[in-house]
Structures are given as C-alpha cells and as structure tokens.
Amino acid sequence: MTIDEIIDFMQDLDGVLAVRPGPDDGSPEISWGDTFFYYSPDGVAPKTTQPFATIVTKNYPGDERSRLDRPDTFRVNIAAGKEAFVDRTGHAPREPAIDDDPSVTDAVMAHPVYGSVGWLAVVNPGQRTDTATCDLLRNAYHLARSRYERRTG
C-alpha cells in the first residue's frame, strides 16, 4: 500500500478529514509531510480531539526505533481500541509487550510509544497486512465516529 492509497481509502469513509500539514499552514515543521485523520463531518479539524489514525514519514523525538529515516519508509498508526489491540497482539495495551522490533515492515504490532493506550502500528503495509490495515483503520473510524456521536448527542 502506498501513502496515497491509504489516504484515498480513508477519504472514502463518510466524515473523515485528512489533515496534511505543510509550510504555509502554521503547523510545526516536524509534522510536514505527515497525515492526520479525524472524524469531522463538518470538515473542520477538531481542536480538542486527537486523530484516530496517522501516517508518519519520519522519526519523531523519542520515537526513532521504527527507523522511519530509511528511504520510502512510513508508518500507519491506528487508535485500534482495546479489543482489536488484544486480538492483534495477544495482550492488553497496558500489559508488557513482547520485545517487538518496531522497524519490521509489513507487520501489525503495538505502537512503539502509544501501544500502552491501544494504538497499533504498521511500517510500510504490504501484501501481508494490507487487508488487516484497512480493517483496523475502518474499526478506528467507527470508534471515532461513535465517540463523536456520543459527545454531540
């Protein structure tokens, strides 16, 4: 899967806003080139809600173990929720993880930084994980949409 294929998949879901920070929008330079997905049926980036999925194209401070500084490497990060997290990893988010190598490509694993809060990650999703990645993204979308609907009544 390419970054553009993932963005297209996400934008086909009703109410998804894909935010792609760049030099002219006032966003921090570190976020340029990355993509943040929100459930936002009004098309406005929420100020008090975190994205339910992201695509990052570089290492962030304290999050270098995925080695996103390799050419053509990116990571899809997914707020999977506890049930999907347990299903994919075999343990609860707050339980100690098996010592996964977060730089492995085309594998679903606990996010190297946010796994303890139920996030999963896939570096360069490919043939082994493209279906799982789409399923997890769709599930994260439904969770975000449900949260939005509870908040807004």
Side-chain angles (χ1 to χ4, degrees), residues 121-139:
V122 184
V123 175
N124 286 11
Q127 197 169 33
R128 288 191 316 243
T129 59
D130 59 352
T131 299
T133 300
C134 288
D135 290 347
L136 289 164
L137 286 167
R138 194 177 296 108
N139 183 66

Side-chain angles (χ1 to χ4, degrees), residues 13-35:
L13 299 171
D14 184 50
V16 169
L17 174 66
V19 175
R20 299 181 86 176
D24 298 325
D25 63 11
S27 60
E29 186 174 349
I30 187 103
S31 66
W32 299 352
D34 297 340
T35 308

Side-chain angles (χ1 to χ4, degrees), residues 66 75-78 107-112 119-123:
S66 294
R75 186 179 66 213
V76 179
N77 305 305
I78 307 164
V108 177
M109 64 186 71
H111 187 284
W119 281 68
L120 294 171
V122 184
V123 175

Side-chain angles (χ1 to χ4, degrees), residues 56-110:
V56 295
T57 59
K58 68 193 81 55
N59 293 327
Y60 276 70
D63 183 16
E64 295 88 5
R65 295 184 326 138
S66 294
R67 297 181 35 234
L68 301 178
D69 53 349
R70 294 174 285 173
D72 301 316
T73 303
F74 66 95
R75 186 179 66 213
V76 179
N77 305 305
I78 307 164
K82 184 179 179 180
E83 185 177 322
F85 185 93
V86 170
D87 182 54
R88 294 291 173 172
T89 66
H91 63 86
R94 296 204 186 276
E95 292 176 5
I98 299 170
D99 196 19
D100 288 333
D101 176 356
S103 69
V104 171
T105 61
D106 201 17
V108 177
M109 64 186 71

Side-chain angles (χ1 to χ4, degrees), residues 36-53:
F36 302 83
F37 299 101
Y38 298 89
Y39 180 74
S40 179
D42 63 2
V44 177
K47 299 210 185 288
T48 60
T49 303
Q50 294 293 317
F52 67 86

